[in-house]
Amino acid sequence: MAATDSETKTRIMREFYRLRAAGQPVPPEVYSRFVAVTNEGFTTGPDIGTRVPEFTLPDQDGRRRSLRDLTGPDGLLLVFYRSADW
Amino acid sequence: MEQSRALLEQAGIKIAAISYDSAEILKKFAELNRIGYPLLSDQGSTVIRRFGIFNENLLPDMRAYGVPHPVEYLLAPDGTVREKFFVPNYQHRVAGSEVAMRAQGTAGANAIHLKSGHVEIVIGLSSREAFAGQELGLIAEFSIAPGWHIYGAPAPAGYTSTAVRFETHHVAGYSFKFPSPQVKRFEALGETIAVHYGNFKAVGRVLLKFPLQPADYTLAGTIDLQQCSDTECEGPQIIRFQLPIKIAPTVPEPKRS
């Protein structure tokens, strides 16, 4: 699928958010256009067989966690997800 | 994901999850949902960008700005990517059960049992329930009676190699990987031939179509194979199967607060 130009993309996303904010029903075609443009250029990051970048981030209890201390004896399932809030 | 944690931990694999939420939001979420694995706060999406999975489509004033393209990485202890799981749609999530199934390598409770001649196959999807557009794991456990074999690829001329296929009614794509075949020398034929025998597992992926109306579906498919012993051969077979799957309604977008 060809990339949508940024003006069209913005219009599609704004239309969806306007209806949501107004508490109005979102027609299926508006939703599916929104889904399509917000998932354009889907990338999946480091390739199989390569090492992922090191990082240290706070967990839900505020403790700093590194890749090394998160990993179990046979590895780690590292999940990137959209949000815990919505 | 929490449901799959015990299975993964038995396999020595821990879970951690990263989002752009604050630690306070993550704490509430973890308490509410009794999450027992680390939820990491990547406010500002620095790590998300470093992984190269920042969603560039959204604009800075939108609530979703900062989200990643959702990808799950199964990492080796040294941080090398063993496998990646993703559905190219941030509104959806990969079922944790798929990952657990791959790590544990069992066909699960919703598997179906097929038997034909000297071959038994237990085939199942990683989940009973999924969203349209989701990718599911598929596993098939083959048990072949002693003295018998089926063919790997390429099969010798005139023989059928083993293959799993899905009808494309609800399925957008699939792939299936057999273990490397054994090489067997047939003295009578003066040939070496790639065969599968004994007990082995084959794993694959099935990508569901998008959109699909929420309902109960069956994913129909076939397994092509030909079973032979050293002295006799049965004709090529097509074994049909139907795997049940429930398509759940798409996760509604919450209202902006």
Side-chain angles (χ1 to χ4, degrees), chain A residues 33-44:
Chain A
R33 278 202 298 267
F34 173 79
V35 168
V37 299
T38 52
N39 288 290
E40 275 189 5
F42 195 97
T43 51
T44 66

Side-chain angles (χ1 to χ4, degrees), chain B residues 156-178:
Chain B
Y159 293 84
T160 299
S161 58
T162 310
V164 175
R165 296 174 217 282
F166 278 87
E167 288 174 15
T168 54
H169 204 53
H170 308 307
V171 170
Y174 59 90
S175 65
F176 207 74
K177 207 192 282 177
F178 283 89

